[in-house]
Amino acid sequence: MAIPIVPQLLRAHLAELAENDERHDGRARWESRNTELEIGVLRNAEGSAKVRIGDTIVYAGVKFQIMTPYPDRPNQGGLMCSAEIRPVAGPNWEPGPPSPESIELGRVVDRGIRESGCIDVDNLCIIPGEKAWQVILDLFAISDDGNLFDAFALAGIAALKSAMLPEVKFEMSDSDRPLPVSKTPIMCSYHKVGGRFVYDADGREELGGDERIHITLGDDDHVHSLQKGLKGIFTENEFSEIMEHAQSRCKELREMVHNAEEAD
Amino acid sequence: MAIPIVPQLLRAHLAELAENDERHDGRARWESRNTELEIGVLRNAEGSAKVRIGDTIVYAGVKFQIMTPYPDRPNQGGLMCSAEIRPVAGPNWEPGPPSPESIELGRVVDRGIRESGCIDVDNLCIIPGEKAWQVILDLFAISDDGNLFDAFALAGIAALKSAMLPEVKFEMSDSDRPLPVSKTPIMCSYHKVGGRFVYDADGREELGGDERIHITLGDDDHVHSLQKGLKGIFTENEFSEIMEHAQSRCKELREMVHNAEEAD
Amino acid sequence: MAIPIVPQLLRAHLAELAENDERHDGRARWESRNTELEIGVLRNAEGSAKVRIGDTIVYAGVKFQIMTPYPDRPNQGGLMCSAEIRPVAGPNWEPGPPSPESIELGRVVDRGIRESGCIDVDNLCIIPGEKAWQVILDLFAISDDGNLFDAFALAGIAALKSAMLPEVKFEMSDSDRPLPVSKTPIMCSYHKVGGRFVYDADGREELGGDERIHITLGDDDHVHSLQKGLKGIFTENEFSEIMEHAQSRCKELREMVHNAEEAD
Amino acid sequence: MGGYGDVQMIDENGIRVDGRGPGDLRPVSIETGVIPVADGSARVIWGTNHAVAAVYGPMECHPRKIQRQDRAVLDVRYNMAPFSTTDRMRPGFNRRSREISKVTADALESVVLLEMYPRCKVRVEIEILCAEAGTRCVGLTAASVALAHAGIPMTDMVVSVASGKINDVVVCDLNKEEDNYGEADLPMGILPNSGELVFLQMDGDLSQAEFQQAWDYNMEAAMVVHQIMVDALKGGDA
Amino acid sequence: MGGYGDVQMIDENGIRVDGRGPGDLRPVSIETGVIPVADGSARVIWGTNHAVAAVYGPMECHPRKIQRQDRAVLDVRYNMAPFSTTDRMRPGFNRRSREISKVTADALESVVLLEMYPRCKVRVEIEILCAEAGTRCVGLTAASVALAHAGIPMTDMVVSVASGKINDVVVCDLNKEEDNYGEADLPMGILPNSGELVFLQMDGDLSQAEFQQAWDYNMEAAMVVHQIMVDALKGGDA
Amino acid sequence: MGGYGDVQMIDENGIRVDGRGPGDLRPVSIETGVIPVADGSARVIWGTNHAVAAVYGPMECHPRKIQRQDRAVLDVRYNMAPFSTTDRMRPGFNRRSREISKVTADALESVVLLEMYPRCKVRVEIEILCAEAGTRCVGLTAASVALAHAGIPMTDMVVSVASGKINDVVVCDLNKEEDNYGEADLPMGILPNSGELVFLQMDGDLSQAEFQQAWDYNMEAAMVVHQIMVDALKGGDA
């Protein structure tokens, strides 16, 4: 079936499908695309992961730097999370300074991880007031067919959980030790397509859809981060339905991270 | 009376009025618009002022930072003056890096204050060679109907004169003390409109006028700063006439600053 | 003879001349334009040179700064080489951040000098781990009629060889001493014009030509740097022919540098 | 959220440091017409926050390439003045202000009838002159009033409030200390007539039950602020 | 080149630290179709270098002002991912990557039949995910395969290899340590069918005889890599 | 102005450190045609200041959006070369050079007959190669000669000079030390035929009487420099 790529026609087409509760690739409303996670894939990173969701492919890499703690928090290290979507990732990504879209992507993923408290920054102190670890998580997309948010979030937490503090390289010890990561925050994203929310929108659904909602849940269904993006109005009922799905899907993805860790 | 806003027609209209020594809003050639000054208006600034001249409204805020003195001037603090005209201030101000106009604005106002010597930078030293106060004066326009120069200069000196060195916040003393400001430099600006200079041009007169001259005078009629802006030729006689008016008007505005101080 | 300046016509014109092994200004294929070198021409630089090749005129200036050596190389100073072609230099040079062309120019000239090892960075150490000299070579074109590469390289090495370490200014000694420069690397550049390579292309030949090859040779015919620029294909034979010419021409130009030094 | 569990910000009787109960708003006052050269403008004083918003347009849309054939473009900027914060804020767009500008634009685009002005632009400028927690909510609320003041047609106004959690207690409308040391922050943009949402963010840690309580506080507070907005628009210019 | 003469990188039998002889290449493997949304793509693993390249187009050329009436524009970018290097690389274009982008574009323009697509643009994106010496060669080789995979017509493919000098011995295909501490580096871009060149750089110190030896190593290695490229394109997508 | 009152720069006989009297100019020499590829050019050596100026045009004006239907656009840039100052100046436009470019353009636009070249652009490029106080005056003077050398019609040339105050004495044409440690600086741009002004700045502290003296010095010096400009233009190219 030919799928129109002119946004106006695409919208109409997706709306038509939605009336029969269908999606253009045959998925059910809450069904995700095939999702794969690999860890330890980047040799020069201290922790890394590759995630593929359908035709969306992203990498996450963890690097460490030594920082001076802020004067008011002498016992704390830092976490920095940065997302880049370079023009390699698709015909519409442009070179140049980060677009508003990619800035939002980085900040939303960053928040989900940061706010869960999974990285205990007090644990990153080396010498109080003088030296601490700064954890840098770089998210890097090479193929964008939609839902970079969830792909980045999944690759990000998996990369962090596989990361080794490079104590040998920095001449602090005879062996590296794992970065302590106490929780596994997981993001689920929903797009309004043809008037109703669906899970894991692909590139076409993003192009012909409306607002999106990103939910990051922690190990115990606690909410750590929310973000509504794009123009659009939603009701309390719509939100409750999404939240319910997120609670069950996050558990499955958390399982996938744990399995990858054990296989490592 | 309808006033044309196409610059070409506006120029012609203003020139016609000028022939009868009239201005488009009924003012006399050396007459200013209604001018109001308030101090202490911004809670998070260490000194602040709001100036309204007609429909032009600006704020000035003073903040302090601790700086390391320059090696060749171990006893000196610093003064930094920065002007921003953000797009909030009118239909023609654009976002983006500072325009040549706003850079000139900041530099001209800065010079008038700096060159008067009203801030004794030797007075800002805390520990010679190690710590000194840096005074930061931020000028911020929210409504531009012309003559931002005089509005900024007036708000700036008033904000400085109301500023308190935040010695409590920086744990240097039990109480804050006033920033010493020894003089009250005042700027008066003149625009050539319809072939002759007028005082306090409004937005329309700026749009349909030619060159402008900015004069900053100190307490004793001393000249501290001059600037001619825009394309245009003027004679020595024209300049003398302006200088004479500036001497009397600066006294009035200096009085306004002193009154606001006392009322504070 | 009128010379067309539309690139398409110019290419055809130059190709026609090439068939008879001629060039538009009457030079032979391997012949250079009149080349002049002056040193000590910029009063505020610690070393300087002016080079004129035909209507191409450039300056080189050497300045020194004190730097902290990199932790892994506590005994080394630094060399920085920066090329600027500002809009003063010709009708087609635009203001703004450095163009890819001028970045390439700076890097190619920098490499020839750096890779020859003529500046012994270990010699620039003042206090190991604490202070060292940073040599800054600034290349500056004021008139571009082609072959800025060779003009910059020649001015650059001559300026370095005339430079005095400003030990008096930095209060380290009672007299300045010459910067030690142990070799005299020289660049020769070749452009493919009308299907064959020529030496020292002028502005018109650059405009109507194809790829260019830059060769930097040291005192003993050692190769220190190569760069092929622009679109174009060349054979091993073509390259050998160029290399042979470069070996003889570099000797002549090296002589010119030595003569200028002695005259200084 | 800072998450310093050891700063006591609410007592055993549920009284907060500034005297409010858990569900209470800070004082809010609104004026219109505060920027004479703008087509519409508003000032919102909310606690000690001070925001102004200006609306320019509908006007010709340039650069042309951003023009839309079927509707107006809404160009929204949120900015903090350099003197608005305790430590001076360096002028210039940063990532935070870019993102807030974007979510504010997304919220407003959901209600402004942009189709009424094809090929035009409407500029919305939000300036925070004094910042004391919740500035994105204060700015969005101010922008909403300024749009109404400019006579730009909207399906509804947007009211924005943030509730959160301090010392394990869910409270309405965090002040600065509560924002710095609290455990969660839930800003929402609410359409007062339908109770629908156009803006939603959240940071921190809330159980599902706490989340529901914060949501409900926001809904109640929005109705209070909405009345103040309506009164300001009825009351005429400053 | 670092030029630290005192790091021993090759023994008296001509065996290098990673076990190779002077004229040996590192292991090279190539896959196509690794970026599903691109019109052509390739991954090259070369030693422990890891590069991907994507080709988009021919497509409409915008901005218009860079459009060419008689041919397509080739828009080439080389970039290193922040996690590709031992010390993290700050994102954003720097002078080095600008220059490599330019010489890569110059090399590819020499073989791509751009006249077949007037007024169009072809984008070539090279991303280094793991960098271990010779990334400009690896990237140019990957781009060449990705262009072929996208079906863009070329007179020949470009194969790129760098030989150099370590401890006064000329060797083929420098690895990271050899690149850091070696005395010269000669990267070339070779057309395997004619032996002609489209790319040439060199840094360091080589006598005329050493220069010739390094040149010859590159020529031989290019033939080996070319066969791997051809096999990858014949083998179908990953 | 630095305003270090304790540096003695003029003795009791009114003799300055470089031997000049209060009203004396530094030596000034001017050459034309020093930039062969430009349409007009000039070099001004003024004391130890060294400035060159090039004029390109009238030429087609692009980008189009800055084109003017009724006159030419005058595009003026003032820049200091990195080696022009005692401490190296980082390349790139800074606020100071932007402002000087603007006031220089304003001065020149007042005399160039731009209406004669509708839709065109005239570029004026000023480069300071050696800077020793008063570079804005030297640059404006050089630009004026270069415009005349390019045959661009003007109502008059602009001559620019700065007088000032050192150790409470008003003096003409400040040198570097006097500029660093002096108490006031009054640069002016004068039309020598009418005595009118097109450029005026001032910094420091001058009583009304001192101000008049500095003004008068500038007027006198302008006539001297004007003659040197005229001679250079008559004398033919370097």
Side-chain angles (χ1 to χ4, degrees), chain F residues 104-195:
Chain F
T104 304
D106 290 340
L108 294 172
E109 281 188 27
S110 308
V111 295
V112 174
L113 296 172
L114 295 166
E115 318 78 58
M116 293 187 62
Y117 306 103
R119 283 183 295 278
C120 289
K121 178 160 73 173
V122 175
R123 265 176 45 201
V124 178
E125 307 288 346
I126 300 164
E127 295 289 342
I128 307 299
L129 300 180
C130 187
E132 305 265 10
T135 60
R136 72 190 66 194
C137 296
V138 178
L140 174 52
T141 302
S144 192
V145 178
L147 280 162
H149 182 247
I152 307 287
M154 295 183 279
T155 55
D156 201 348
M157 286 207 288
V158 181
V159 191
S160 185
V161 193
S163 291
K165 185 166 75 166
I166 54 171
N167 303 135
D168 285 322
V169 181
V170 175
V171 297
C172 182
D173 186 24
L174 300 181
N175 69 21
K176 191 171 184 199
E177 196 187 7
E178 293 168 344
D179 191 50
N180 284 350
Y181 303 113
E183 297 123 50
D185 184 28
L186 173 70
M188 285 166 37
I190 297 160
L191 307 189
N193 288 321
S194 64

Side-chain angles (χ1 to χ4, degrees), chain D:
Chain D
M1 310 303 300
Y4 288 67
D6 52 351
V7 177
Q8 196 57 37
M9 290 178 287
I10 186 161
D11 70 14
E12 62 273 26
N13 302 317
I15 302 303
R16 295 149 76 179
V17 170
D18 58 10
R20 286 186 286 159
D24 294 346
L25 267 173
R26 289 175 285 181
V28 175
S29 71
I30 302 180
E31 265 179 298
T32 58
V34 298
I35 298 177
V37 299
D39 296 312
S41 62
R43 177 197 315 278
V44 174
I45 309 279
W46 183 316
T48 46
N49 284 299
H50 182 166
V52 294
V55 170
Y56 290 96
M59 52 169 69
E60 206 194 342
C61 183
H62 58 112
R64 273 284 173 84
K65 63 173 176 178
I66 64 163
Q67 209 178 76
R68 296 287 303 261
Q69 293 307 310
D70 55 340
R71 61 176 185 86
V73 165
L74 196 69
D75 187 15
V76 178
R77 257 173 301 279
Y78 161 100
N79 182 62
M80 297 180 84
F83 40 63
S84 63
T85 44
T86 310
D87 293 326
R88 179 178 181 257
M89 167 141 305
R90 273 192 65 174
F93 234 37
N94 55 43
R95 294 196 157 214
R96 178 179 171 277
S97 60
R98 256 179 215 276
E99 192 205 336
I100 295 179
S101 296
K102 187 164 188 332
V103 296
T104 305
D106 290 340
L108 294 172
E109 282 189 24
S110 309
V111 296
V112 174
L113 295 173
L114 295 167
E115 318 79 57
M116 293 185 62
Y117 305 104
R119 283 185 295 278
C120 289
K121 178 158 76 174
V122 175
R123 265 175 47 202
V124 177
E125 307 288 346
I126 300 164
E127 295 289 343
I128 307 300
L129 300 180
C130 188
E132 305 266 11
T135 58
R136 71 189 68 194
C137 297
V138 178
L140 174 51
T141 302
S144 191
V145 177
L147 280 162
H149 182 247
I152 307 288
M154 295 184 278
T155 54
D156 201 349
M157 286 207 288
V158 180
V159 192
S160 185
V161 193
S163 292
K165 185 165 76 166
I166 54 171
N167 303 136
D168 285 320
V169 181
V170 176
V171 297
C172 182
D173 187 24
L174 301 179
N175 69 21
K176 191 171 186 197
E177 197 187 8
E178 293 168 344
D179 190 49
N180 284 351
Y181 301 115
E183 297 123 49
D185 184 28
L186 173 70
M188 286 165 38
I190 296 161
L191 308 189
N193 289 322
S194 65
E196 292 173 318
L197 277 79
V198 291
F199 166 53
L200 173 70
Q201 290 189 315
M202 187 258 165
D203 276 351
D205 185 288
L206 289 176
S207 71
Q208 292 284 334
E210 289 166 341
F211 176 70
Q212 191 58 51
Q213 173 67 70
W215 181 289
D216 293 343
Y217 276 152
N218 281 342
M219 285 290 173
E220 286 161 34
M223 300 309 138
V224 177
V225 175
H226 181 230
Q227 193 54 50
I228 300 169
M229 294 161 77
V230 169
D231 291 347
L233 285 160
K234 277 192 189 148
D237 284 359

Side-chain angles (χ1 to χ4, degrees), chain C residues 73 98 103 107 111 115 221-228 230-236 239 243 247, chain E residues 1 4 95 98-99 106 109-110 196-198 200-208 211-212 215:
Chain C
R73 298 176 179 194
I103 289 176
R107 288 179 63 95
R111 258 185 232 145
E115 297 292 334
D221 284 354
H222 274 213
V223 195
H224 292 309
S225 147
L226 292 175
Q227 177 89 351
K228 179 248 178 182
L230 300 184
K231 168 182 172 176
I233 299 178
F234 63 95
T235 66
E236 186 159 358
F239 184 77
M243 177 64 92
Q247 294 181 30
Chain E
M1 308 306 298
Y4 288 67
R95 293 196 158 213
R98 257 178 215 275
E99 192 205 337
D106 290 340
E109 281 189 25
S110 308
E196 292 172 320
L197 278 80
V198 291
L200 174 69
Q201 290 190 312
M202 186 258 166
D203 276 352
D205 185 289
L206 288 176
S207 71
Q208 293 283 333
F211 176 69
Q212 190 59 49
W215 181 289

Side-chain angles (χ1 to χ4, degrees), chain B residues 234-252:
Chain B
F234 63 93
T235 65
E236 186 159 357
N237 280 346
E238 286 175 317
F239 184 79
S240 303
E241 205 179 1
I242 287 169
M243 178 63 95
E244 200 175 322
H245 177 262
Q247 294 182 30
S248 75
R249 177 61 177 164
C250 285
K251 285 195 186 70
E252 292 170 21

Side-chain angles (χ1 to χ4, degrees), chain B residues 73 98 103 107 111 115 221-228 230-236 239 243 247, chain F residues 1 4 95 98-99 106 109-110 196-198 200-208 211-212 215:
Chain B
R73 298 177 180 194
I103 290 176
R107 287 178 63 94
R111 257 185 234 146
E115 298 292 335
D221 283 353
H222 275 213
V223 193
H224 293 307
S225 149
L226 292 175
Q227 178 89 350
K228 179 249 179 183
L230 300 184
K231 168 184 170 174
I233 299 177
F234 63 93
T235 65
E236 186 159 357
F239 184 79
M243 178 63 95
Q247 294 182 30
Chain F
M1 307 306 299
Y4 288 67
R95 293 196 159 212
R98 256 178 215 276
E99 192 204 336
D106 290 340
E109 281 188 27
S110 308
E196 292 171 319
L197 278 81
V198 290
L200 174 69
Q201 292 189 312
M202 185 258 166
D203 276 350
D205 185 289
L206 289 174
S207 72
Q208 293 284 333
F211 176 71
Q212 190 59 49
W215 182 289

